[in-house]
Amino acid sequence: MPSAPTSDTRQLLFLLTLAAFASSASFRVCDPMLPQLAGQFAASTAEVALIITSFTIAYGAMQLVYGPLGERFERFRIVTRATALCAVGSLGAALAPSLEMLTACRILTGVAAAGIIPMSMATVSDLVPAEQRQATLARLFSGQILGMVFGQVLGGLCVDFGLWRLAFGVLTGLYLLIAFALWRKAHLGATTRGAAGPAGSMASLYRRALGMLHARETRGVLACFFVEAVLVFGVLAFLPLYLHERFGLALSQATLPLLLYGAGGLLFSFVAARLGRRINHWAFPVGAAGLVALANGVALYAGHPGWIFAAALLSGFGYYQLHSALLFQITQRAPEARSLALALSVSLFFVGQSVGVSAAGWLVDQGRIALVFAIAALGMPLLGVAAGRQIRPA
């Protein structure tokens, strides 16, 4: 059983948080670039948008590869090599002479980045005792959230100065520094190998992953991941449009609640670090889902956009609280196959996002954008109760 974190372990956890930061930054760095890239490469916005969708598809699909790999090989080394490969992909993007090459490099980065956050979470679960794990995972979230904000800001600043390639250059340097630091600490992560070891066949690991979808121990938590993504991201995808249509805000202003949403997640990560093992209680996911439901209700009935801005902060806090509880539970339910369980969770989470955004998009096309918020407001308390029933003491 893992002992309390030592100084070396804390250094490893800090480096894993930095790797998660860089991975999340790669996710969002291209968002502000599309108009400039369309002009640069004489392409349509839809063609340029492939650099985002291809990254996302590669990231989601590779979870089915990294999960089994994490059960056969040292997870910490997987994170190290994935980080180094991200540097290669980012460097290629910085030097890309054509849109096709840029897209290929973004696919490579997505393939590599897919192995960083899930394997980092599995490594944290290996190194940190259960009573400290949820707070530690919350600190890892803080790296993810800051990375998303950093990526958007970095991309936006570089676009403003007409230097979009510089954004990928900065990411290249960041990935190289983190990969080197992880490599220097590789000997300390030698215990982070899955139970299957090199002898476990990929086929047997896939069978085990499929079994988790049906196993009583894990199916409830996995279902919660899926429903959570459907309800939360269906709202987030269209929140700026909702503000724009209802209050006439410029789209630049209407995206500010997304930053406040991330700030709410950061606030939760700080609170979770202080609460420690007390956070592993059935009331926490129930209360978290209630906060998200309340925020969606505010969005429905608010007479001023300021209320919705405040609700976004509240919703971010509640969402990350709920997501943290589910992640902790999945690491507890499958201790002998954490990489598989986490990768499967991420895959279902990505599928849930796609379903949620697609369904919300259909409602928006029907002129029923308010119904998207109403469904989430009604559905989140039910999800909170279901998630609360999944909580088991550490």
Side-chain angles (χ1 to χ4, degrees):
M1 186 166 178
S3 58
T6 63
S7 175
D8 285 337
T9 299
R10 285 193 292 271
Q11 290 179 39
L12 290 184
L13 297 176
F14 175 71
L15 292 175
L16 291 172
T17 301
L18 285 180
F21 172 91
S23 177
S24 295
S26 280
F27 234 112
R28 299 269 68 95
V29 73
C30 291
D31 291 358
M33 294 183 181
L34 299 188
Q36 188 176 84
L37 291 175
Q40 174 90 31
F41 294 111
S44 68
T45 302
E47 290 173 323
V48 173
L50 282 174
I51 66 172
I52 295 176
T53 55
S54 60
F55 180 100
T56 304
I57 291 170
Y59 189 101
M62 283 300 294
Q63 299 305 321
L64 301 176
V65 176
Y66 281 112
L69 286 179
E71 298 305 320
R72 298 188 70 194
F73 305 105
E74 290 176 15
R75 294 160 182 160
F76 189 81
R77 290 187 185 274
I78 292 174
V79 175
T80 303
R81 291 169 183 174
T83 304
L85 190 56
C86 281
V88 176
S90 297
L91 179 61
L95 301 175
S98 65
L99 181 59
E100 291 75 16
M101 182 61 70
L102 177 59
T103 303
C105 290
R106 288 296 291 166
I107 292 173
L108 174 61
T109 307
V111 165
I116 293 178
I117 292 176
M119 291 303 103
S120 293
M121 290 190 293
T123 301
V124 166
S125 301
D126 291 336
L127 297 174
V128 178
E131 62 270 15
Q132 301 173 26
R133 190 178 304 148
Q134 194 163 348
T136 306
L137 286 171
R139 285 192 286 270
L140 191 67
F141 289 158
S142 68
Q144 293 178 242
I145 299 164
L146 286 171
M148 286 188 281
V149 174
F150 174 77
Q152 289 178 315
V153 172
L154 175 65
L157 285 175
C158 290
V159 166
D160 285 344
F161 287 99
L163 299 169
W164 64 267
R165 295 180 187 274
L166 179 61
F168 294 113
V170 171
L171 288 177
T172 299
L174 182 62
Y175 277 124
L176 284 174
L177 287 173
I178 296 170
F180 178 72
L182 289 169
W183 174 73
R184 291 285 303 273
K185 296 291 182 180
H187 63 287
L188 299 175
T191 60
T192 61
R193 173 177 288 165
S201 71
M202 295 291 279
S204 66
L205 291 169
Y206 281 121
R207 284 195 295 270
R208 178 181 287 187
L210 288 173
M212 288 181 186
L213 294 173
H214 303 284
R216 185 177 180 182
E217 190 72 8
T218 51
R219 66 190 179 197
V221 182
L222 292 173
C224 286
F225 274 109
F226 175 80
V227 176
E228 172 198 43
V230 170
L231 295 176
V232 169
F233 286 90
V235 167
L236 279 183
F238 295 98
L239 180 58
L241 178 63
Y242 180 71
L243 284 165
H244 175 67
E245 290 186 350
R246 183 171 175 185
F247 298 104
L249 295 183
L251 287 175
S252 59
Q253 294 175 305
T255 57
L256 289 177
L258 300 182
L259 295 179
L260 290 171
Y261 193 89
L266 276 178
L267 181 60
F268 166 71
S269 70
F270 296 138
V271 171
R274 295 181 179 275
L275 289 175
R277 65 182 303 170
R278 287 174 293 175
I279 203 170
N280 185 41
H281 189 274
W282 68 267
F284 276 86
V286 174
L291 291 177
V292 180
L294 176 62
N296 287 316
V298 169
L300 272 174
Y301 296 107
H304 188 277
W307 286 106
I308 299 180
F309 281 44
L313 182 72
L314 186 70
S315 185
F317 186 96
Y319 162 68
Y320 281 98
Q321 181 178 331
L322 174 62
H323 195 65
S324 171
L326 292 174
L327 279 174
F328 174 72
Q329 286 302 311
I330 203 64
T331 65
Q332 287 290 94
R333 301 299 180 88
E336 76 292 345
R338 285 189 177 122
S339 296
L340 276 178
L342 286 165
L344 191 57
S345 301
V346 173
S347 295
L348 288 170
F349 191 70
F350 265 82
V351 173
Q353 285 186 47
S354 299
V355 171
V357 173
S358 297
W362 182 82
L363 289 172
V364 170
D365 288 340
Q366 304 301 311
R368 307 179 74 180
I369 191 170
L371 186 57
V372 175
F373 293 84
I375 291 172
L378 294 172
M380 287 303 297
L382 298 177
L383 173 62
V385 172
R389 294 180 63 182
Q390 301 300 321
I391 299 299
R392 296 181 184 174

